[in-house]
Amino acid sequence: MNFAIVGCGFIAKKHANAIKEVKNAKLVAVSDKISAAMNFYEREYNANPYTDLSEMLEKEDIDVVCICTPSGHHASLAVHVAEAEKHIILEKPIAMTLEETDRIIEAAEKNKVKLSVVHPNRYRPVVQEVRKILDKNLLGKISHVNATVNWNRNQDYYDQAPWRGTKQYDGGVLMNQAIHNLDLLLWFMGKPEQIFSMEATRLRNIEAEDVSTGLIKFRSGALGTVESATTVYQKNFEESITIFGEKGTVKIGGTNALHFEHVEIEGVPEAELEEIKEKIEEDPWGTPGHQWIVEDMVNAINEDRLPAVTGKDGRKAVELVLSFYESAKQNRPIQLTKEKEYANN
């Protein structure tokens, strides 16, 4: 499979390395409006550079395009790539609005291309173990959950590029940093029914929020709290998800939610749980999530199936973030509408 990358900023290097590590995948071209940004990919991967996306799509034999631009540009680029009938791996968030998100998904369906959104934390070893626990219903009825992202992004981080921290192209802590944690929360707990949120811009000189707190009521009846911030002094402090059930409690945590900080399950011997924890500690990151996503796309194309993380999954995370924003703006609870259905993606 021949891959191309659009947008040669920081995250593009993760995509390039993932493509390199996947059998039967090759990076053949890159596109960026700034020529110098593509030099690394020319040198390291022998990728052909293009400052014009249309030219690249026309001249190169490409199967999959990885879109790694600022979030506010995702919709126009993804629709363009879909109309060129190329499969798409799209960095998070899928888009900045639900209207843009739906345009992307509908363009992928219309042109019969596969669409995958980059939520790589699903592939971390500890996250996979939590999913197994929930799939087996080992915790029983869930009472409530906590999701936390308390990180540091100092002013220098936001000043690196003019789009960072803007509502149009980037979003705040919820849309940019916490969205991976929110994706996991939705993957574990299912559809939210009602949310309430408060947010503020306390310490960073940006347009969007740098701290947010929220409450969720899930369709199951379980309750959830969400705490997110980029204001923590002086470095990343915590990313965690805690699930409280009638038959057990599970907490994954650390600075990047890589470890079991607590796991206690009725009927499961402590020695068995310790063995699982120790196995995770041997390699907590596991195979990089971007590599899993690239490999899954190759397999999805060969097997003619949906990717593991679809456009619809990406939409769920964005819908939750936007509902938090709307609740904070109106200072009232928000009832989530019936989930939009798609034939594919």
Side-chain angles (χ1 to χ4, degrees):
M1 300 269 172
N2 288 340
F3 282 72
I5 292 174
V6 180
C8 294
F10 168 77
I11 203 67
K13 291 185 178 180
K14 289 193 175 184
H15 285 256
N17 190 62
I19 294 164
K20 179 183 177 182
E21 294 297 324
V22 172
K23 186 179 179 181
N24 298 325
K26 182 182 180 181
L27 180 61
V28 298
V30 292
S31 177
D32 197 290
K33 290 183 177 180
I34 302 172
S35 296
M38 298 183 282
N39 292 344
F40 171 81
Y41 303 92
E42 286 184 85
R43 183 177 67 253
E44 297 295 324
Y45 298 94
N46 199 29
N48 296 325
Y50 293 86
T51 54
D52 184 271
L53 175 59
S54 297
E55 183 183 2
M56 182 184 77
L57 295 173
E58 182 180 338
K59 288 186 175 180
E60 294 286 342
D61 179 19
I62 298 168
D63 299 293
V64 184
V65 176
C66 299
I67 298 177
C68 303
T69 62
S71 306
H73 296 295
H74 285 181
S76 59
L77 293 170
V79 170
H80 189 173
V81 171
E83 290 175 346
E85 299 182 347
K86 312 298 182 184
H87 304 292
I88 302 165
I89 294 177
L90 185 54
E91 263 297 333
K92 61 78 185 169
I94 183 172
M96 298 301 292
T97 68
L98 288 181
E99 291 77 14
E100 290 179 342
T101 298
D102 292 337
R103 279 178 55 211
I104 295 169
I105 296 174
E106 288 160 8
E109 290 190 345
K110 179 182 177 182
N111 292 283
K112 296 180 172 57
V113 301
K114 301 189 185 302
L115 170 64
S116 180
V117 181
V118 179
H119 283 294
N121 296 14
R122 292 189 184 197
Y123 294 97
R124 291 177 177 174
V126 71
V127 171
Q128 290 287 313
E129 288 296 331
V130 173
R131 183 67 198 215
K132 290 176 188 176
I133 289 169
L134 294 172
D135 286 344
K136 294 176 183 177
N137 197 32
L138 295 181
L139 300 182
K141 187 176 182 180
I142 304 301
S143 164
H144 63 294
V145 297
N146 296 332
T148 302
V149 177
N150 277 317
W151 282 353
N152 170 272
R153 295 293 183 271
N154 58 29
Q155 192 61 45
D156 289 343
Y157 166 85
Y158 292 105
D159 291 342
Q160 286 176 17
W163 55 267
R164 287 190 172 177
T166 64
K167 292 182 178 181
Q168 182 177 1
Y169 294 108
D170 187 30
V173 61
L174 283 173
M175 188 68 86
N176 195 0
Q177 283 80 27
I179 196 165
H180 287 308
N181 194 268
L182 296 178
D183 172 68
L184 294 185
L185 186 63
L186 294 173
W187 196 45
F188 291 157
M189 297 298 299
K191 180 73 175 177
E193 183 176 85
Q194 189 180 50
I195 66 99
F196 179 71
S197 178
M198 300 180 75
E199 66 182 48
T201 309
R202 293 288 295 161
L203 302 183
R204 306 296 175 239
N205 183 24
I206 58 174
E207 180 185 18
E209 83 288 351
D210 61 12
V211 61
S212 171
T213 60
L215 302 173
I216 303 176
K217 181 181 179 182
F218 294 93
R219 283 187 179 175
S220 66
L223 302 180
T225 61
V226 175
E227 178 185 2
S228 309
T230 55
T231 57
V232 175
Y233 178 85
Q234 169 180 18
K235 57 186 178 181
N236 289 356
F237 178 74
E238 176 187 18
E239 179 187 7
S240 66
I241 294 179
T242 311
I243 306 173
F244 299 91
E246 62 179 333
K247 297 180 181 179
T249 301
V250 171
K251 179 178 182 179
I252 57 174
T255 54
N256 294 96
L258 292 172
H259 315 277
F260 272 122
E261 290 197 350
H262 184 88
V263 54
E264 186 176 14
I265 303 171
E266 179 182 294
V268 180
E270 187 174 336
E272 183 178 330
L273 296 175
E274 284 299 320
E275 185 178 341
I276 294 171
K277 289 166 67 176
E278 288 172 7
K279 184 178 179 181
I280 289 168
E281 291 306 312
E282 291 173 4
D283 185 15
W285 288 98
T287 300
H290 284 78
Q291 185 175 326
W292 278 112
I293 288 167
V294 169
E295 185 171 1
D296 176 70
M297 176 60 84
V298 171
N299 292 335
I301 294 168
N302 284 330
E303 299 164 14
D304 193 23
R305 61 165 172 81
L306 290 177
V309 186
T310 65
K312 186 176 177 180
D313 292 322
R315 188 186 195 276
K316 291 176 183 177
V318 167
E319 182 184 27
L320 180 57
V321 170
L322 294 175
S323 297
F324 276 135
Y325 286 163
E326 189 63 24
S327 175
K329 180 180 178 181
Q330 297 188 25
N331 192 31
R332 67 173 181 86
I334 296 290
Q335 197 79 21
L336 271 73
T337 58
K338 184 178 179 181
E339 187 174 340
K340 184 161 182 166
E341 298 293 335
Y342 297 95
N344 297 299
N345 293 304

